[in-house]
Amino acid sequence: MKRKRQAEGLSIRALSAIIGVSFSSLARIERGDGEPDNNSAIRIIEWLGQEGQDEGLALDQVAYVHFRADKNIQSKTVHCLLSAANTIKQQYDLAFHYDGEGEEAVSLVLSKQEMEEMAEEFRKDLGVGDEEPLDALRVKIEGVDVFAPSDIAELDSDCLAFLVGEGSDQWSAMSVPLDLDADRWAVLRNDQHQLVRQKVTYLEECWHIMLGHKLTKVAKVSDAFGRTYDSTEEHDAYYLASASLLPKAAVSRCVEQGESSEAIASKFGVSQPLVEYRIKRLGLWKAFRGLNVSLNEG
């Protein structure tokens, strides 16, 4: 890396801007003080190109998809999902290759208030009242096509059987960009999971798309590499999905009225853990649990 950088007359800071790896990381790598993480390694090897290959630095294919899967996902599950992604792209007659060069992860930090307002506006746009459950699986975004595995024509029968059978507990969704500008997407959802899980998973992917998040990170999933969002974007998408399903005003009223998390979950068609996550994030846990707080007598 140092040899090529110097040959091209680049400073470490200039190379950092080109490939999207931090200055401090590149400086440390050049000094031999540490190994790059997966994301940095992929970007460096992409930039080295043929010169890297001549030195034995091979680049595994990085799938331009976003997996939402269990951390212990099996290799077969990953490759069946990649096969599904390729089959979907073939249906759209797509054959582009993404190298990620020149893109940097730029995260827009959203405040809790901003996200609450966005979720409230989202529900209003859909015509869903504060006290009504949102049927998330009916949400349709322009430019986004949604599939279950059985909807994918020409998908290998063995992969289809595995994704909806033995491997179904290892993945929940996969998003596939259908153009380089990420204006069109396909979302593959696992329709074998309980509906309460499908709802929040699908809305997470929807919010990533509606927020314009880019697949600029790299993560190793089993024996393959896939692109993903950074941790801030993952947090925001989950927060917005939960806020869309459980509106702040309604949850606050339920807590004030002493309703249980099971009752709230049943009312809005979501899971009990999601209700409790929402209550905690709204700062209502003390009231929900009826915890008394006082000062010890001096």
Side-chain angles (χ1 to χ4, degrees):
M1 182 179 74
K2 182 176 181 179
R3 186 166 64 245
K4 180 175 180 179
R5 177 180 66 76
Q6 291 178 335
E8 295 189 3
L10 297 171
S11 66
I12 295 179
R13 197 169 298 281
L15 179 58
S16 171
I18 291 171
I19 65 176
V21 177
S22 72
F23 169 82
S24 59
S25 294
L26 290 180
R28 186 176 64 253
I29 293 165
E30 277 204 3
R31 291 195 305 268
D33 291 343
E35 295 291 329
D37 60 18
N38 286 333
N39 187 58
S40 298
I42 293 295
R43 289 174 179 269
I44 292 168
I45 293 172
E46 286 175 340
W47 175 72
L48 288 172
Q50 186 60 50
E51 295 172 59
Q53 294 179 34
D54 292 343
E55 296 291 334
L57 296 173
L59 174 63
D60 291 307
Q61 179 184 6
V62 181
Y64 191 29
V65 300
H66 177 234
F67 297 111
R68 191 168 294 284
D70 186 271
K71 63 181 180 180
N72 297 318
I73 188 171
Q74 296 177 19
S75 174
K76 182 172 181 178
T77 311
V78 171
H79 288 282
C80 281
L81 287 170
L82 292 176
S83 176
N86 288 332
T87 304
I88 289 172
K89 290 179 182 179
Q90 289 169 9
Q91 292 182 13
Y92 291 84
D93 194 26
L94 298 173
F96 66 79
H97 299 281
Y98 177 78
D99 59 16
E101 187 172 338
E103 282 205 41
E104 293 186 55
V106 179
S107 298
L108 178 64
V109 179
L110 297 171
S111 69
K112 182 187 291 189
Q113 181 178 342
E114 287 174 324
M115 290 190 285
E116 292 294 342
E117 291 172 353
M118 291 168 70
E120 183 178 346
E121 191 65 28
F122 177 66
R123 288 178 63 91
K124 286 182 179 178
D125 288 344
L126 296 175
V128 182
D130 276 354
E131 300 294 335
E132 297 179 72
L134 168 61
D135 189 351
L137 298 182
R138 291 182 56 212
V139 171
K140 172 64 178 173
I141 302 173
E142 184 179 0
V144 179
D145 294 334
V146 184
F147 299 84
S150 58
D151 297 327
I152 306 175
E154 308 302 326
L155 177 61
D156 178 80
S157 59
D158 180 62
C159 273
L160 173 59
F162 188 79
L163 290 176
V164 300
E166 182 182 345
S168 65
D169 62 339
Q170 299 172 30
W171 70 283
S172 53
M174 178 177 65
S175 291
V176 184
L178 299 177
D179 59 39
L180 285 175
D181 294 324
D183 291 327
R184 297 177 60 209
W185 293 78
V187 175
L188 180 67
R189 63 179 182 85
N190 189 335
D191 60 349
Q192 301 302 303
H193 286 175
Q194 292 184 337
L195 286 176
V196 292
R197 181 175 175 182
Q198 290 185 51
K199 290 176 182 178
V200 69
T201 296
Y202 174 58
L203 273 188
E204 279 186 83
E205 297 305 306
C206 287
W207 275 110
H208 277 303
I209 294 168
M210 289 189 291
L211 290 170
H213 291 166
K214 301 292 185 182
L215 296 173
T216 53
K217 296 289 185 179
V218 176
K220 191 167 187 180
V221 184
S222 185
D223 60 350
F225 288 95
R227 299 229 167 229
T228 189
Y229 309 103
D230 72 20
S231 58
T232 299
E233 292 170 338
E234 291 285 12
H235 166 270
D236 288 355
Y238 186 75
Y239 189 101
L240 281 160
S242 70
S244 300
L245 290 165
L246 291 161
K248 178 180 178 179
V251 173
S252 298
R253 281 193 293 272
C254 289
V255 171
E256 288 173 4
Q257 293 166 7
E259 294 188 35
S260 67
S261 56
E262 294 94 334
I264 301 171
S266 176
K267 179 177 182 178
F268 288 97
V270 299
S271 69
Q272 185 179 342
L274 187 69
V275 170
E276 294 183 356
Y277 164 84
R278 187 78 174 116
I279 290 172
K280 290 174 182 177
R281 293 298 294 153
L282 289 172
L284 298 172
W285 191 250
K286 174 179 169 292
F288 175 68
R289 294 299 303 272
L291 301 175
N292 292 319
V293 180
S294 62
L295 291 173
N296 288 327
E297 293 184 5

